[in-house]
Amino acid sequence: CRLNMDLDFSVTYEVPAYVIYKAFVDQGMMSHWTQGQVVSEPQNGGKLSLFNGTIIGEYAEVEENKKLVMKWKFKDWADFADCVITFSEDGSTTDINVSYKNIPEYDIYS
């Protein structure tokens, strides 16, 4: 599988950064919104698994309420993609920037 696709986007929410950050790392909250089994160990080298193991990964860098760097992939992908999520709080709003690099152009199902 070739790794050459990227995705970057930003979203602004009118809530504090800690609320959104918690939704990205808290195992209970993640299990609730995915409606499946989740493993989330938000520490450098910690494991990540979503949707009953369909998505797997590892936290490479964790800055609470500020930044998450992860290796992330669907279980059928040969290689991991790189995901960086930053949380920038400004008063009552939080900007979330997501940068997803090295996404496979196709997988075994394409």
Side-chain angles (χ1 to χ4, degrees):
C1 103
R2 295 184 351 213
L3 299 173
N4 64 352
M5 296 180 62
D6 298 337
L7 173 67
D8 295 288
F9 64 92
S10 299
V11 180
T12 301
Y13 291 100
E14 293 188 18
V15 296
Y18 78 89
V19 172
I20 301 167
Y21 175 85
K22 186 174 179 181
F24 275 92
V25 300
D26 182 83
Q27 192 164 291
M29 289 181 74
M30 294 168 75
S31 182
H32 180 75
W33 60 259
T34 64
Q35 296 296 296
Q37 187 178 26
V38 170
V39 174
S40 178
E41 301 170 347
Q43 59 196 13
N44 295 355
K47 293 181 182 178
L48 176 67
S49 175
L50 300 166
F51 301 104
N52 300 316
T54 301
I55 296 171
I56 56 175
E58 179 179 296
Y59 291 98
E61 181 183 341
V62 176
E63 292 181 48
E64 188 171 356
N65 302 325
K66 300 216 180 282
K67 184 178 185 180
L68 294 170
V69 178
M70 299 172 277
K71 294 287 189 183
W72 190 99
K73 73 175 194 164
F74 285 96
K75 68 180 178 182
D76 297 323
W77 290 359
D79 298 303
F80 285 89
D82 302 303
C83 182
V84 177
I85 304 170
T86 58
F87 307 83
S88 303
E89 190 171 335
D90 184 18
S92 63
T93 64
T94 300
D95 295 324
I96 300 170
N97 297 297
V98 178
S99 178
Y100 198 32
K101 307 290 184 201
N102 300 317
I103 302 167
E105 184 175 335
Y106 56 89
D107 60 24
I108 63 172
Y109 300 108
S110 298

